[in-house]
Each structure stands twice: as structure tokens, then as C-alpha cells.
Amino acid sequence: MGDLDLDPSPKARKDSRARVPRRSKVSEGPQDPRAKALYEQAINVIVESVGDPAKTKEGVKQQIRLMEEATQIVPDDPHIASELANGYYRDGQLDRSVQVCRSAIEKMDPGTSDDPAESLWRQLGMAHLDKDEWADAASAFREQLRIRRCPECVIHLATCLLKLGEAQDAIEVLGSDVDFSHETLLLAGRAHIATGQHGRAEGFLLEAFRTSSWNTEVRAELQALGFVVREEGDHWIL
């Protein structure tokens, strides 16, 4: 098997930043009435721009402007910091996103609710991930997982660990989530290949192929293991 090609393309990274960020739940937001109004306005702008590239670009600018204004009212609010960092991230300003996250995390009260804390760690991880800073990204995703275990975070952390050559740790992180999607099955297959467990790897990759034969990475990994994958009509078979 060749190098683990886990990097999304530049276009894929840009597309991921354009998407509306996932939220585990609707945050209550800041307590200050003026800041809260700006916060809610920013959320509405994000939601209303879904599916329209032109609106998304303008929406990101508005999100940043509104959250920068809210920061002037409540400088250390973790909800505002999370949305501001997300705005910088979606705008491609990765260094600023990292800076805002780290500053907010350092100032975060131990009693801060899980919602903004998880969001800040996730946002920090995503910014480091896009900067190819695998160790820093892994550290942030581990902190997010301590708050809540979500499949998306598991995929990100396992990806970082494989990039760092820590395949066994990636296997442990994936744990019981390997049946969640073709992404986790693919990562599990690659991690087991990297640790020399080819029999286990085949099982994960065959299951990934069964559900997602269209995925070129899954087909490539199976071919590297000696499987013959061919196209028949509008689908792929072994």
C-alpha cells in the first residue's frame, strides 16, 4: 500500500468551509441582550445562505462583522468566540480562527456549558486540520471527544492519527464506530493495513465496498490488497 492519502483536496476543503457548521444543539448564546441579538442575527444569516454560493460568501462576511461587533460588547463570551472563529474558518482565515479559539479556551470558566466548549475545541481542530497541523488538530479533537463522542469528530481524530503514523491509536479511537459509515470503515481498513492486520482490514474494506462501491478510495485500497474490482453497467463488482 502506498502513502495514506487522507488529505481532502483544496477544493474539498474550501467546500467544507462553505457548509453550515454542524451543531449538536441550539446554543442559548450570550446573556447580554445586545450581544445575544447580534449572535442570533448571525445564526439566521448562516441558515438563510444555505445552498446559495453567492449568499454564503456574503453571509460569512456578515457573520464575522456581527460577531466582531458582539465581541466589543462582551469580549470573553465563549458563544461569540465560537461563532467568530467559525466565521474566520469559513472565510479561509485559519490563523485568526486558531487565535480566537485558543484565546477563548484559555479564558473559559471551568463551569462553561458543554455546548460552547465543544464547539470551540471542534473549531480549533478543524482549523489545525486544514493547516496540516496534525498533532495540534488531534489534541483539539481529543478534547472535543471528552465532552461528547460524535462520529464526525472520531473520523477527524482517526485521520490525524493516521497522518501521524499512530495507526494503533486510530484503531482504538474508531472503536465501535467503524460500522457508522464508509468513511470510518475506510479509515479502519487503512489503520489495520498499517499495523499489518490485513485480514481485519479486508473485512472493513469489503463492508465499505458493499455500501459504497462508488468510492474510488475504497476500490483503490481493495485493489492494493489484490482484489479485482471491475465496472459492470452502472455499478462496481468484485
Side-chain angles (χ1 to χ4, degrees):
M1 177 183 158
D3 292 338
L4 293 171
D5 184 13
L6 298 172
D7 267 343
S9 66
K11 180 181 185 302
R13 292 186 175 198
K14 183 178 179 181
D15 290 345
S16 72
R17 289 196 291 270
R19 289 195 295 268
V20 174
R22 293 185 181 182
R23 292 179 173 82
S24 58
K25 57 185 177 179
V26 177
S27 172
E28 294 181 359
Q31 297 302 307
D32 182 275
R34 294 175 300 161
K36 187 177 182 67
L38 292 168
Y39 176 86
E40 291 177 347
Q41 187 179 345
I43 299 298
N44 289 334
V45 166
I46 295 168
V47 172
E48 290 170 1
S49 66
V50 174
D52 187 327
K55 283 187 177 180
T56 296
K57 185 175 181 180
E58 179 58 32
V60 170
K61 299 296 185 186
Q62 285 186 263
Q63 177 186 4
I64 292 172
R65 178 180 58 77
L66 290 165
M67 290 301 88
E68 286 179 339
E69 185 177 345
T71 300
Q72 298 301 311
I73 300 171
V74 188
D76 298 327
D77 187 278
H79 301 87
I80 294 172
S82 175
E83 290 304 322
L84 178 57
N86 178 261
Y88 287 143
Y89 172 79
R90 296 173 74 210
D91 197 43
Q93 300 184 57
L94 303 181
D95 288 336
R96 297 191 76 176
S97 182
V98 167
Q99 181 182 9
V100 169
C101 286
R102 290 206 175 279
S103 176
I105 288 168
E106 288 173 2
K107 297 174 183 176
M108 199 160 50
D109 187 277
T112 299
S113 69
D114 287 351
D115 186 27
E118 179 193 357
S119 180
L120 283 165
W121 283 116
R122 177 189 179 279
Q123 193 59 68
L124 179 61
M126 292 302 297
H128 280 305
L129 187 70
D130 277 22
K131 285 162 61 65
D132 295 346
E133 296 170 349
W134 312 115
D136 287 333
S139 177
F141 289 131
R142 283 191 188 279
E143 291 297 332
Q144 183 194 359
L145 277 174
R146 288 192 178 96
I147 299 171
R148 184 176 71 91
R149 185 175 178 85
C150 66
E152 183 183 53
C153 180
V154 167
I155 290 172
H156 292 322
L157 178 53
T159 297
C160 293
L161 292 172
L162 280 171
K163 277 291 189 180
L164 291 167
E166 300 172 8
Q168 188 57 47
D169 286 347
I171 290 172
E172 293 174 6
V173 165
L174 288 167
S176 60
D177 284 322
V178 292
D179 62 348
F180 174 73
S181 67
H182 78 270
E183 289 98 336
T184 47
L185 289 165
L186 176 60
L187 285 168
R190 286 173 162 170
H192 281 86
I193 289 172
T195 56
Q197 303 176 64
H198 287 197
R200 293 273 292 166
E202 286 182 9
F204 290 120
L205 292 170
L206 287 170
E207 180 62 20
F209 181 82
R210 187 184 68 80
T211 59
S212 307
S213 62
W214 50 266
N215 188 278
T216 57
E217 292 177 285
V218 171
R219 296 201 304 271
E221 295 294 353
L222 284 170
Q223 288 169 332
L225 288 174
F227 286 88
V228 176
V229 184
R230 68 181 188 276
E231 189 173 11
E232 188 172 285
D234 59 353
H235 60 281
W236 292 85
I237 62 173
L238 289 171

